[in-house]
Amino acid sequence: MPHTTVEYSGTLAEALDRPAFGKALHEALVTVAGGRADGCKTRFVRHDDLYIADGSPDRAMVHVEIALLSGRTPEVKRALTEAVLAALRENTAPTPRLEVQFSVDLRDLDRESYARHEEPRTAS
């Protein structure tokens, strides 16, 4: 746990270094928010059909949605969103022809109702 979804404009496919951002994101989830490294899961979703602001093809976006078990303070949540924004900027190459919007949304998962199951590996 935590679960993260990164949605990004297809025009940023070459600019967004997904492995490097994923690594930085997971490090922030562990060091800032106290998550477990082996529980971090990130899905990257490319969108080629977006309409941003006035619909100009010169606009692009990366939106990160993080779902964490509840219990973090507002200060920890803010520190995490700032760290994620910084990691996005560091791991997205300059795109002079595009106006890029970065955003982060952090949501609490209810500890009382969240459930998970992990299948153990079998020896081969």
Side-chain angles (χ1 to χ4, degrees):
M1 163 57 355
H3 294 275
T4 305
T5 302
V6 180
E7 297 181 83
Y8 64 97
S9 299
T11 53
L12 295 174
E14 298 298 318
L16 176 61
D17 186 340
R18 292 179 298 283
F21 173 68
K23 182 177 190 288
L25 169 67
H26 289 192
E27 287 172 358
L29 288 165
V30 170
T31 60
V32 177
R36 287 185 13 250
D38 64 342
C40 292
K41 298 163 199 72
T42 298
R43 296 174 299 281
F44 289 91
V45 181
R46 175 181 169 157
H47 293 287
D48 291 313
D49 190 15
L50 290 173
Y51 190 90
I52 301 169
D54 62 0
S56 167
D58 299 334
R59 297 179 186 267
M61 53 78 73
V62 181
H63 176 70
V64 180
E65 186 170 302
I66 302 168
L68 286 170
L69 288 175
S70 59
R72 272 86 176 178
T73 66
E75 295 79 17
V76 167
K77 292 177 184 180
R78 187 65 185 168
L80 179 58
T81 58
E82 291 298 328
V84 172
L85 278 175
L88 275 175
R89 289 190 303 271
E90 291 169 11
N91 292 288
T92 304
T95 52
R97 61 180 178 72
L98 295 174
E99 178 185 308
V100 182
Q101 299 174 5
F102 297 109
S103 58
V104 180
D105 182 24
L106 193 148
R107 299 177 185 267
D108 284 335
L109 293 173
D110 181 45
R111 284 183 183 274
E112 304 304 316
S113 61
Y114 180 77
R116 75 183 269 267
H117 171 79
E118 188 172 318
E119 285 290 324
R121 280 189 238 179
T122 57
S124 25

